[in-house]
Amino acid sequence: MGKRQKAEMLGLVQRIIQAYNDEKLTFEAIEQMLRDEGYDISREAIRRTVKSNKQIASELEKTRTETVALIDAIRDNPNTDTNEAAVDWLITKSFEYIKTIENVNFKDLPEMSTFMNSITRMKGQLVKQRMDYNKVFEKVKQMVIADLQKALEDWPELYQQLFTIVTNLEAPDVG
């Protein structure tokens, strides 16, 4: 078994990586921050931690970027799209995890299968809900057009203007 690094023994690895990647702090600034908090760790130990944990740093950055994109999607589409964005993110993360599996443990397989089944079923339900909602919206538009046509038989120009307005209506986001 290899020698554990000081940052690992102090439980500071992720904190150092996050300070280096997310906060863009220098090794010196990280050292000072940790020393101010009472940790006895050198700049060289911090540098070794960052160097030996490039993969963790890369994954943290990727996750941060994906999380920001998810939050932006949710902020821009606060209704059903929120759920769909979260489900899409889960599906993506699950497939990324599955690709890393080298040996399948049959004890864990049913749990993973149940999880994947649940999130893909949820995705299907969200898509179906959106499609059903759009069908109802289109049906209501056709009913309104039919009612306008009957009510405005004597005013064809007004009917044509309202027909154009109604046919151009789009279904609002599902709440």
Side-chain angles (χ1 to χ4, degrees), residues 78-100:
N79 299 312
T80 303
D81 290 344
T82 302
N83 295 333
E84 196 166 357
V87 169
D88 287 344
W89 185 81
L90 276 174
I91 290 170
T92 301
K93 284 297 181 190
S94 299
F95 282 125
E96 284 177 14
Y97 170 73
I98 289 169
K99 288 189 305 189
T100 67

Side-chain angles (χ1 to χ4, degrees), residues 152-163:
L152 300 173
E153 287 177 326
D154 297 334
W155 297 285
E157 292 99 22
L158 180 57
Y159 167 73
Q160 191 58 47
Q161 290 173 344
L162 291 173
F163 173 84

Side-chain angles (χ1 to χ4, degrees), residues 15 37 44 52 58 62 74 108 127 129 142 148 164 166:
R15 183 132 180 253
E37 294 174 12
E44 181 58 23
S52 66
S58 174
K62 183 179 176 187
I74 289 170
D108 297 336
V127 169
Q129 179 183 9
Q142 294 307 313
L148 285 172
T164 302
V166 172

Side-chain angles (χ1 to χ4, degrees), residues 31-82:
E31 176 190 24
Q32 189 59 52
M33 175 186 71
L34 294 174
R35 285 189 181 276
D36 289 348
E37 294 174 12
Y39 292 103
D40 180 26
I41 189 164
S42 70
R43 191 173 328 146
E44 181 58 23
I46 292 166
R47 187 196 64 75
R48 280 193 311 270
T49 299
V50 169
K51 182 180 178 187
S52 66
N53 288 279
K54 287 289 186 185
Q55 182 63 32
I56 293 172
S58 174
E59 286 298 315
L60 281 173
E61 181 62 25
K62 183 179 176 187
T63 301
R64 186 188 69 75
T65 302
E66 290 170 350
T67 303
V68 167
L70 177 62
I71 290 168
D72 288 344
I74 289 170
R75 186 179 304 121
D76 293 342
N77 302 298
N79 299 312
T80 303
D81 290 344
T82 302

